[in-house]
């Protein structure tokens, strides 16, 4: 089996989750990684050193600035027939590109797989993660997005060869104008070992300073539930959940989060889950490893103080 993997990157580094994606890909056959961008040679070299990668295809052209999905999909289609499987991350990047590829190939996309049973059979969550579906595909080319948190990251190897691939067509449908990126000294949410998240129970944006103070003591990333984001307490990029970011850190601390299905779907694969909520019947306790029924405005400052000591 020949497998093509779309690597998400920032030009210099692979994005978090790519090595996990490559672990899934290696279960299916010989892996070729496609790295496309304006100046992406460093990212291509990084991909070549991930265990299981047989070859890296590097395409550099101005039309791939900003990772415009239309042109990236058109590039993938120029080589798609050479592969039995085409994989990408279940991130905004993968969800933007791969449905276009699947539609053009007239095949069904298999979304957010969490396990590989065989070359044509996969496990994926359904009903907001409350059930797991085993699906089998008879499509000639399988187009798949992978839930990276379900797979361990691949290790390192001696660098695989990097080959240049001619740019695909410029469809002229979009033009990259710029990007406004939030900057933080804290870890990136999807790559963090520890995450401290707050929910609607925080009451206000001002009260999220309690979350931030605790996160800083732990060297953790800060997250938020959809309810907290919808209430304007935190920006959208902090949202954890089915419609936000899917995370699986070593430690996830949920504060003032009731535990709606949407939120649980995005974090219940965390290794250890700690929940603080004054409602003893909160659904979050059903997935928590440890829990505390208490007023968060009392418990969180005390916890932060103990960590300081």
């Amino acid at each position: 089996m020949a497998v093509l993997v779309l690597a998400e990157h920032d030009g210099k580094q692979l994005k978090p989750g790519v090595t996990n994606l490559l672990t899934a890909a290696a279960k299916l056959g010989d892996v070729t990684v496609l790295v496309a961008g304006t100046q992406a040679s460093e990212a291509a070299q990084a991909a070549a050193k991930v265990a299981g990668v047989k070859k890296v295809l590097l395409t550099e052209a101005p039309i791939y600035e900003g990772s415009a999905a239309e042109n990236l999909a058109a590039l993938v289609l120029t080589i798609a027939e050479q592969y039995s499987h085409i994989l990408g991350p279940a991130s905004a990047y993968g969800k933007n590109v791969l449905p276009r590829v699947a539609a053009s190939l007239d095949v069904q996309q298999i979304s957010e797989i969490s396990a590989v049973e065989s070359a044509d059979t996969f496990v994926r969550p359904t009903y907001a993660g409350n059930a797991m579906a085993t699906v089998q595909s008879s499509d000639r080319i399988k187009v798949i997005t992978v839930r990276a948190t379900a797979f361990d990251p691949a290790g390192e190897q001696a660098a695989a060869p990097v080959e240049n691939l001619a740019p695909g067509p410029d469809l002229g449908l979009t033009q990259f104008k710029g990007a406004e990126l939030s900057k933080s000294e804290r870890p990136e949410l999807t790559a963090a070992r520890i995450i401290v998240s707050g929910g609607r129970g925080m009451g206000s944006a001002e009260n999220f300073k309690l979350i931030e103070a605790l996160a800083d003591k732990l060297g953790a990333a800060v997250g938020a539930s959809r309810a907290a984001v919808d209430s304007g307490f935190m920006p959208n990029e902090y949202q954890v959940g089915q419609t936000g970011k899917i995370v699986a850190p070593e430690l996830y601390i949920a504060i003032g989060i009731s535990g709606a299905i949407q939120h649980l779907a995005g974090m219940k694969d965390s290794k250890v889950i700690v929940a603080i909520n004054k409602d003893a019947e909160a659904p979050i306790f059903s997935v928590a490893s440890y829990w505390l029924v208490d007023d968060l405005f009392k418990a969180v400052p005390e916890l932060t103080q103990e960590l300081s000591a």
Side-chain angles (χ1 to χ4, degrees):
M1 298 288 181
V3 183
L4 180 67
V5 173
L6 277 65
E8 187 176 3
H9 61 90
D10 62 6
K12 294 184 177 181
Q13 296 180 328
L14 299 174
K15 287 295 185 75
V18 172
T19 55
N20 307 67
L21 167 59
L22 289 169
T23 295
K27 296 175 181 290
L28 295 167
D30 292 336
V31 178
T32 297
V33 179
L34 175 61
V35 178
T38 51
Q39 294 179 321
S41 59
E42 288 187 46
Q45 293 296 333
K49 296 177 182 177
V50 179
V53 174
K54 300 298 183 183
K55 181 171 64 176
V56 176
L57 299 176
L58 171 62
T59 302
E60 295 181 303
I63 61 173
Y64 302 118
E65 185 176 12
S67 299
E70 293 83 357
N71 287 336
L72 283 173
L75 173 63
V76 173
L77 290 170
T78 64
I79 56 174
E81 296 295 338
Q82 303 173 32
Y83 299 94
S84 59
H85 299 75
I86 301 174
L87 275 62
S91 62
Y93 174 87
K95 292 176 180 179
N96 205 5
V97 178
L98 287 185
R100 302 170 193 272
V101 173
S104 297
L105 293 173
D106 195 26
V107 300
Q108 298 182 74
Q109 178 178 294
I110 306 170
S111 300
E112 298 206 28
I113 68 165
S114 58
V116 176
E117 296 289 322
S118 67
D120 65 356
T121 306
F122 311 92
V123 178
R124 62 176 302 274
T126 187
Y127 298 117
N130 283 305
M132 304 302 289
T134 300
V135 296
Q136 186 175 40
S137 171
S138 59
D139 285 329
R140 58 192 179 84
I141 300 175
K142 280 80 171 168
V143 178
I144 302 167
T145 61
V146 177
R147 180 170 285 193
T149 55
F151 297 89
D152 293 329
E156 296 183 357
Q157 66 175 18
V162 177
E163 300 178 6
N164 291 317
L165 176 67
D170 181 2
L171 302 183
L173 298 175
T174 56
Q175 185 177 7
F176 181 71
K177 292 293 188 180
E180 294 182 9
L181 304 176
S182 60
K183 295 182 179 180
S184 173
E185 294 183 357
R186 298 189 183 96
E188 203 278 325
L189 193 57
T190 56
R193 293 177 53 252
I194 303 173
I195 297 174
V196 183
S197 282
R200 181 159 34 204
M202 297 306 301
S204 70
E206 180 70 18
N207 289 336
F208 256 82
K209 289 182 179 179
L210 296 175
I211 299 289
E212 294 170 346
L214 178 58
D216 289 342
K217 290 297 179 184
L218 293 169
V222 171
S225 68
R226 178 173 179 174
V229 170
D230 288 348
S231 298
F233 300 165
M234 294 294 281
N236 181 263
E237 61 263 28
Y238 288 83
Q239 182 178 326
V240 173
Q242 187 179 22
T243 55
K245 294 180 178 178
I246 308 296
V247 299
E250 294 178 17
L251 172 62
Y252 187 90
I253 304 177
I255 300 173
I257 295 175
S258 64
I261 289 175
Q262 187 273 344
H263 188 76
L264 297 184
M267 47 63 72
K268 67 179 183 180
D269 290 332
S270 303
K271 306 302 183 290
V272 176
I273 299 172
V274 175
I276 301 174
N277 199 297
K278 65 180 181 181
D279 179 8
E281 302 299 322
I284 191 73
F285 292 143
S286 68
V287 299
S289 311
Y290 304 93
W291 58 90
L292 174 64
V293 179
D294 202 350
D295 180 356
L296 69 89
F297 297 106
K298 169 179 172 290
V300 175
E302 288 180 353
L303 177 56
T304 304
Q305 185 175 0
E306 286 295 322
L307 290 170
S308 300

